[in-house]
Amino acid sequence: METVEMNSVSLKRPHSEDDVANADEIKRQKTSEKSKTGNDSGQSIVTEQPDKSLLEDTKNEIIPNEESEEQEDEELEDSDEDGDPESFADMMKHGLTESDVGITKFVSCHKGFSGILKERYSDFVVHEIGKDGRVSHLDDFSVPVDDEVNFEDPSEETFTVLSDEDKQRLEELQLLKNKETSVAIEVIEDTKEKRTVIHQAVKSLFPGLETKTEDRDGKKYIIAYHAAGKKALANPRKHSWPKSRGSYCHFVLYKENKDTMDAINVLSKFLRVKPNIFSYMGTKDKRAITVQEIAVLRITAQRLAHLNKCLMNFKLGNFSYKNHPLKLGELQGNHFTVVLRNITGTDDQIEQAMHSLREIGFINYYGMQRFGTTAVPTYQIGRAILQNNWNEVMDLILKPRPGAEKGYLVKCREEWAKTKDPAAALRKLPVKRCVEGQLLRGLLKYGMKNIISAFGIIPRNNRLMYIHSYQSYVWNNMVSKRIEEYGLRAVAGDLTLKGATAVHIEEGDVDNYTIHDVVMPLPGFDVIYPKHKIGEAYKEMLVADNLDINNMRHKIRDYSLSGAYRKIIIRPQNVNWEVVAYDDPRIPLFTTDLDKLEGKPLPVLPTDGKFRALKMEFSLPPSTYATMAIREVLKMDTSIKNQTQLNTTWLR
């Protein structure tokens, strides 16, 4: 089993009469939010028609903030145009390629071939695998029935009986946003049934509020008031939730073309609750169809099921009540169903590629989305944080840079370069939830001489993303060196895991191990390094970056880099594949969970179509990237820079 050097494979798609049919799809992809990093569903790359969710810098992550700002920012982001495909391809000349982040090797011997990944978002489907090994599927819309009846289980009329004005006043009362002690709602149709529905609506939609009926000037009013003032506000659902019912409603979320955090933000707005009452085991792709389990605190299945009638691109089902939330990382992994369209490989090439993927696997690189797409990679900011070089951290985040960015960010950076005035730069930035906006706010609050505190305003996960990106950068480079130096076999001095502990493989034990047993460390404290050339290479790389591999504890605790171990080679499980012919690139090539629930038949495909597609399925553990598995099959550079440069003719 030899290793193969990186080569570029042209992915240009031959022009056909079907090209015109995809024009709307290309336009639709011009504006969107960025992809999240560290996605355990393994976010992948659009090879021919890049979605802007994958093209913007990872640091421009959406951060929950004041609601008015969220609405303003969303309008701006939705309306912002990034220019035509040609100019985008020009901007991406400054982006990263795989070799820039250490991704340089292959482990299979077959000849590479081309294909279109994610021509449609429905070509990439992810099903979460729970810690019990069960694959999450949406296959049931029914709502569980409680033995105990209560106001949290509303009728359908409950959701429409209150006017928007009533809801606004009730929300302000619930959140103690005004001086009112109660809200009066006139009963227009004075019947007992109508009054009951209004009582139910207030109590179910605004937990913590109580209601009573009063006569005023010959008219009936429902009076809403706080059950226990601020105490009720702290835990409003406590006052109306049956003791016999589990506190958390678990459900399966099926979503299309939305990432997990965006989906939860939408659900929380429609339910009028904070996003932090939701929990989940892993974040999932935007440009995909994904199915995962979500848990929410004290929201009934009935209220959640109602959202199926209100929301586009979401479906909720498989409801159950449990006594526990979900925790990040609890999952076993994800199962992928992927379509690569318009493939050029011969049947023999495809068989060799897929057999190799099943038997050998792929190098467990961190995918390109871990590093951003502009001329300032996220790992450079992470390195500056670890070096305690805060002026450079500020400069790297705020300085002008070539690459794919929205116009207002470009103006903000230009103003910063010209004035170094955070207030002036912030005025150029209507979208304040991005990292740049947060840092500028921090500089306004704490001053230019306290960059550490200013940087601390950025949410913790976003800050840690930078140093994790640096760890990933080091690991990618080191694993490439390891494969180049020793190939696909275990050697003395390698590391393997025994339980949670890493140990060195001794000379006399080498024959007891394969490459699939070998792990390598992410640099940090409390890890050991291989006892061969690669151990020295780690030290040399960190010395070149002015870091001490033996002292990775930072004076700021958050930035002390704890180490970990990661397998060199991942062998996917449940690998299956099929080559199918098709004529129309617009039709789906398999049925989804929702298709099955709605009774949609399997697509009828021609036996001798104009195009061929490779349908593949495989399961991966958490924190591995499906992109890297597909890269091994196609033998292509998955970077957006490479794709846009190869495909400028098609993009026009």
Side-chain angles (χ1 to χ4, degrees):
M1 293 183 288
E2 63 176 332
T3 64
V4 187
E5 290 293 339
M6 185 73 185
N7 62 337
S8 293
V9 179
S10 174
L11 298 171
K12 291 184 182 177
R13 174 180 175 175
H15 290 285
S16 76
E17 60 195 52
D18 294 306
D19 290 349
V20 178
N22 289 313
D24 290 341
E25 177 79 352
I26 297 172
K27 287 180 183 176
R28 192 176 57 76
Q29 293 169 9
K30 279 191 176 181
T31 54
S32 110
E33 294 170 352
K34 62 141 284 300
S35 68
K36 306 292 186 289
T37 61
N39 185 331
D40 55 39
S41 70
Q43 285 179 307
S44 300
I45 304 298
V46 185
T47 62
E48 299 259 353
Q49 303 165 12
D51 178 15
K52 290 296 165 62
S53 70
L54 299 169
L55 302 179
E56 294 173 16
D57 194 344
T58 30
K59 62 184 174 37
N60 294 328
E61 195 161 343
I62 296 304
I63 303 163
N65 210 321
E66 294 83 12
E67 187 171 345
S68 59
E69 269 186 7
E70 280 187 4
Q71 292 168 347
E72 176 186 319
D73 290 358
E74 283 165 6
E75 288 168 6
L76 284 161
E77 287 171 1
D78 289 343
S79 63
D80 190 66
E81 288 293 330
D82 287 283
D84 59 49
E86 289 183 62
S87 64
F88 180 77
D90 289 339
M91 286 194 291
M92 285 314 301
K93 290 176 183 175
H94 305 284
L96 297 171
T97 63
E98 287 185 346
S99 60
D100 292 329
V101 295
I103 302 172
T104 58
K105 303 292 180 182
F106 293 104
V107 297
S108 52
C109 305
H110 70 277
K111 183 180 177 183
F113 53 94
S114 70
I116 307 173
L117 173 59
K118 291 192 178 183
E119 182 172 50
R120 302 174 65 81
Y121 67 75
S122 55
D123 287 345
F124 195 90
V125 178
V126 186
H127 287 88
E128 190 170 70
I129 306 172
K131 61 182 178 181
D132 58 357
R134 182 180 55 84
V135 179
S136 292
H137 283 280
L138 181 76
D139 53 22
D140 184 5
F141 284 141
S142 66
V143 173
V145 178
D146 275 344
D147 294 333
E148 188 173 345
V149 178
N150 89 24
F151 278 125
E152 272 280 314
D153 296 330
S155 66
E156 190 61 33
E157 191 180 358
T158 296
F159 297 99
T160 56
V161 70
L162 297 174
S163 69
D164 289 341
E165 182 183 355
D166 288 337
K167 289 176 182 176
Q168 181 66 34
R169 292 168 62 214
L170 288 164
E171 182 175 15
E172 289 174 354
L173 175 66
Q174 183 194 36
L175 299 177
L176 301 175
K177 284 188 173 180
N178 55 32
K179 295 181 180 179
E180 287 188 67
T181 57
S182 64
V183 167
I185 301 166
E186 184 180 355
V187 183
I188 305 300
E189 303 169 30
D190 184 16
T191 64
K192 184 176 180 181
E193 291 75 15
K194 193 68 175 181
R195 293 197 302 272
T196 299
V197 170
I198 296 174
H199 282 294
Q200 286 180 332
V202 173
K203 290 186 176 185
S204 61
L205 297 178
F206 302 94
L209 296 183
E210 292 292 345
T211 57
K212 59 185 177 181
T213 304
E214 284 187 4
D215 283 308
R216 294 183 180 179
D217 300 324
K219 296 180 181 178
K220 282 277 196 306
Y221 288 86
I222 305 296
I223 309 300
Y225 60 95
H226 264 292
K230 291 186 177 180
K231 185 178 178 183
L233 182 62
N235 195 356
R237 267 161 282 281
K238 178 181 177 183
H239 300 276
S240 56
W241 196 264
K243 293 179 180 179
S244 61
R245 178 195 284 168
S247 293
Y248 295 87
C249 184
H250 287 231
F251 62 95
V252 169
L253 173 65
Y254 170 104
K255 61 182 181 62
E256 300 181 355
N257 211 25
K258 280 275 186 187
D259 67 40
T260 301
M261 276 310 303
D262 287 341
I264 283 175
N265 285 335
V266 170
L267 296 179
S268 64
K269 284 180 182 178
F270 272 79
L271 293 168
R272 295 173 177 262
V273 296
K274 291 183 178 180
N276 62 7
I277 70 170
F278 291 87
S279 58
Y280 49 89
M281 294 183 287
T283 56
K284 301 290 179 280
D285 261 355
K286 177 186 193 307
R287 188 170 169 77
I289 291 174
T290 70
V291 183
Q292 69 182 117
E293 188 174 349
I294 305 286
V296 60
L297 176 65
R298 291 182 174 168
I299 298 289
T300 65
Q302 211 154 349
R303 286 186 68 191
L304 294 167
H306 176 75
L307 297 179
N308 287 331
K309 301 180 180 181
C310 310
L311 299 176
M312 297 280 289
N313 302 326
F314 299 110
K315 289 293 177 186
L316 288 67
N318 297 79
F319 302 103
S320 62
Y321 293 109
K322 299 181 182 179
N323 288 316
H324 59 86
L326 296 170
K327 294 181 182 178
L328 276 171
E330 278 188 330
L331 70 170
Q332 266 193 27
N334 296 282
H335 185 74
F336 297 86
T337 306
V338 178
V339 170
L340 302 176
R341 291 183 184 253
N342 200 26
I343 55 171
T344 61
T346 65
D347 288 344
D348 282 346
Q349 286 173 331
I350 293 164
E351 286 294 305
Q352 288 177 37
M354 295 307 298
H355 274 289
S356 177
L357 183 67
R358 184 165 62 188
E359 301 303 321
I360 303 173
F362 62 96
I363 303 172
N364 194 20
Y365 287 122
Y366 286 95
M368 293 301 296
Q369 61 270 38
R370 192 86 170 183
F371 306 103
T373 58
T374 68
V376 179
T378 51
Y379 75 80
Q380 290 184 5
I381 299 169
R383 179 170 55 200
I385 293 169
L386 295 171
Q387 292 169 341
N388 211 31
N389 188 343
W390 293 100
N391 282 311
E392 185 172 354
V393 171
M394 177 178 68
D395 189 45
L396 286 170
I397 292 175
L398 295 177
K399 73 179 181 180
R401 83 270 301 269
E405 289 202 306
K406 292 183 180 292
Y408 51 75
L409 267 175
V410 174
K411 292 174 184 174
C412 170
R413 296 187 191 287
E414 289 172 349
E415 184 66 32
W416 174 256
K418 184 170 64 178
T419 66
K420 289 293 190 289
D421 179 349
L426 200 56
R427 283 194 292 272
K428 300 285 185 180
L429 194 61
V431 176
K432 307 256 188 329
R433 290 173 296 155
C434 58
V435 167
E436 290 84 355
Q438 295 282 351
L439 178 56
L440 289 168
R441 279 178 172 174
L443 292 170
L444 269 176
K445 181 175 182 178
Y446 294 106
M448 297 285 286
K449 292 185 178 179
N450 195 351
I451 301 170
I452 295 175
S453 295
F455 183 72
I457 280 186
I458 298 168
R460 184 174 184 270
N461 284 350
N462 296 58
R463 287 181 277 125
L464 298 186
M465 173 192 71
Y466 293 122
I467 59 175
H468 293 156
S469 177
Y470 177 74
Q471 274 186 313
S472 305
Y473 171 72
V474 172
W475 197 91
N476 278 1
N477 278 278
M478 291 299 101
V479 80
S480 290
K481 284 184 180 291
R482 164 61 181 76
I483 296 290
E484 181 177 3
E485 188 69 32
Y486 300 110
L488 297 181
R489 60 190 178 91
V491 299
D494 271 336
L495 293 168
T496 189
L497 289 178
K498 291 190 176 177
T501 306
V503 297
H504 290 101
I505 298 175
E506 302 298 334
E507 186 71 51
D509 291 333
V510 167
D511 291 342
N512 296 326
Y513 296 96
T514 71
I515 191 66
H516 298 101
D517 300 311
V518 177
V519 299
M520 283 181 45
L522 280 81
F525 59 83
D526 295 335
V527 297
I528 59 174
Y529 293 87
K531 286 184 179 177
H532 49 51
K533 290 181 181 178
I534 307 308
E536 291 303 312
Y538 269 100
K539 295 176 185 176
E540 291 167 8
M541 185 171 185
L542 266 70
V543 165
D545 287 341
N546 294 315
L547 294 170
D548 181 356
I549 201 168
N550 297 312
N551 184 18
M552 300 301 288
R553 294 190 185 274
H554 199 282
K555 68 178 185 179
I556 301 171
R557 185 177 178 182
D558 262 2
Y559 311 134
S560 286
L561 201 57
S562 59
Y565 298 95
R566 183 175 175 88
K567 285 200 168 190
I568 288 182
I569 302 292
I570 291 293
R571 186 161 44 191
Q573 301 298 304
N574 309 310
V575 178
N576 291 290
W577 67 92
E578 178 188 8
V579 176
V580 297
Y582 67 101
D583 287 321
D584 187 347
R586 294 167 297 183
I587 65 167
L589 298 182
F590 57 85
T591 52
T592 65
D593 286 0
L594 186 59
D595 292 335
K596 292 170 186 173
L597 271 170
E598 294 178 346
K600 290 184 181 178
L602 282 165
V604 178
L605 301 174
T607 54
D608 188 23
K610 288 183 290 186
F611 306 115
R612 293 158 71 236
L614 172 59
K615 290 168 57 179
M616 52 200 287
E617 288 190 62
F618 51 88
S619 299
L620 295 177
S623 299
T624 56
Y625 289 74
T627 332
M628 296 294 101
I630 294 163
R631 167 188 182 269
E632 187 69 44
V633 170
L634 293 179
K635 293 270 185 85
M636 71 180 189
D637 184 330
T638 61
S639 69
I640 297 169
K641 175 177 180 176
N642 186 61
Q643 307 309 328
T644 51
Q645 302 312 315
L646 286 172
N647 293 292
T648 50
T649 303
W650 165 244
L651 284 167
R652 291 193 187 101

